[in-house]
Amino acid sequence: MAEKFKTYFKKPLLRILVLLLFISSWSCQQDKKDSNDELSTMWSSFLSDLAARDKVAFKNASGNVIRCYDCLENTPTEREYISRLRDTDSLWYETIYQDLIYISVDSFIAKDYDIMFNKPFINLLRTNETIQLMDTIDDTITADILVTTTPPTLNFEGAQHSFTFIKTNAGWKFKEVATIP
């Protein structure tokens, strides 16, 4: 009787497990597709605002502070200041990466927006391949959009720009632009 009981439940149990695995796999794929759609929509809207030179929309789509190393050296005067800082301040690294690199959105718009988001650069962002990554750390959802802006060659590994967004109750907010390498 026990053998009959085991045989009877083996097949249905196996079928149920296979069905649960299928449903779980399908659900994960659906969540990933929904996340990709959400990120694609957000990125497309961000690029449209840049192409339209809509600084009000850019400000609304950004956090209060933008982390941007390139913004520290995008003019000759700024490059000279950072060079002098490295030569004269023993804590230059901390000064840069704990303080100077964080730029208020208003200062970014006034000093860096037009330099960074010029038409050729926006065109690269719109036409080049992107990689979308989403992560959750301590209940904070972040998205990184990576764009290859300089293709690799025999003599150079290439470069990407990384754009980081954070998900808030008000939607996605732009918080960082960085270069890799």
Side-chain angles (χ1 to χ4, degrees):
M1 173 103 165
E3 285 298 313
K4 208 175 192 183
F5 185 76
K6 287 181 185 176
T7 305
Y8 180 76
F9 280 100
K10 275 187 180 176
K11 289 183 182 177
L13 185 57
L14 182 61
R15 287 183 188 137
I16 290 170
L17 287 174
V18 169
L19 180 62
L20 288 175
L21 284 172
F22 173 76
I23 290 170
S24 176
S25 174
W26 178 81
S27 175
C28 288
Q29 289 174 351
Q30 194 63 34
D31 288 347
K32 187 175 180 181
K33 181 183 180 295
D34 293 345
S35 296
N36 287 344
D37 289 347
E38 181 181 5
L39 292 182
S40 293
T41 300
M42 177 269 299
W43 181 242
S44 180
S45 176
F46 184 76
L47 292 178
S48 292
D49 292 343
L50 292 179
R53 315 292 300 155
D54 189 341
K55 293 179 182 178
V56 172
F58 176 84
K59 182 175 180 175
N60 291 335
S62 298
N64 294 330
V65 173
I66 297 171
R67 187 176 190 276
C68 177
Y69 179 86
D70 290 345
C71 297
L72 302 180
E73 296 187 322
N74 60 14
T75 68
T77 303
E78 291 171 339
R79 281 190 291 278
E80 183 180 316
Y81 171 74
I82 294 297
S83 179
R84 232 179 314 113
L85 183 70
R86 285 187 181 117
D87 292 342
T88 61
D89 185 348
S90 64
L91 299 175
W92 66 268
Y93 189 88
E94 289 82 4
T95 300
I96 290 172
Y97 286 98
Q98 293 176 7
D99 181 31
L100 298 178
I101 199 169
Y102 297 97
I103 300 166
S104 76
V105 68
D106 292 326
S107 179
F108 183 94
I109 291 170
K111 297 177 183 176
D112 302 300
Y113 180 93
D114 291 326
I115 295 170
M116 179 163 293
F117 296 120
N118 58 50
K119 287 184 182 190
F121 185 65
I122 294 168
N123 190 46
L124 280 175
L125 298 179
R126 294 181 99 176
T127 57
N128 288 10
E129 178 185 3
T130 62
I131 298 170
Q132 301 174 352
L133 307 168
M134 190 182 293
D135 196 12
T136 303
I137 300 173
D138 297 329
D139 297 326
T140 301
I141 301 171
T142 61
D144 290 291
I145 309 294
L146 306 174
V147 183
T148 300
T149 49
T150 306
T153 65
L154 290 175
N155 299 319
F156 180 63
E157 65 186 316
Q160 290 180 316
H161 275 76
S162 170
F163 297 86
T164 303
F165 297 82
I166 187 167
K167 192 168 191 175
T168 69
N169 291 334
W172 290 100
K173 297 292 183 178
F174 174 57
K175 72 173 212 166
E176 178 180 7
V177 58
T179 53
I180 306 166

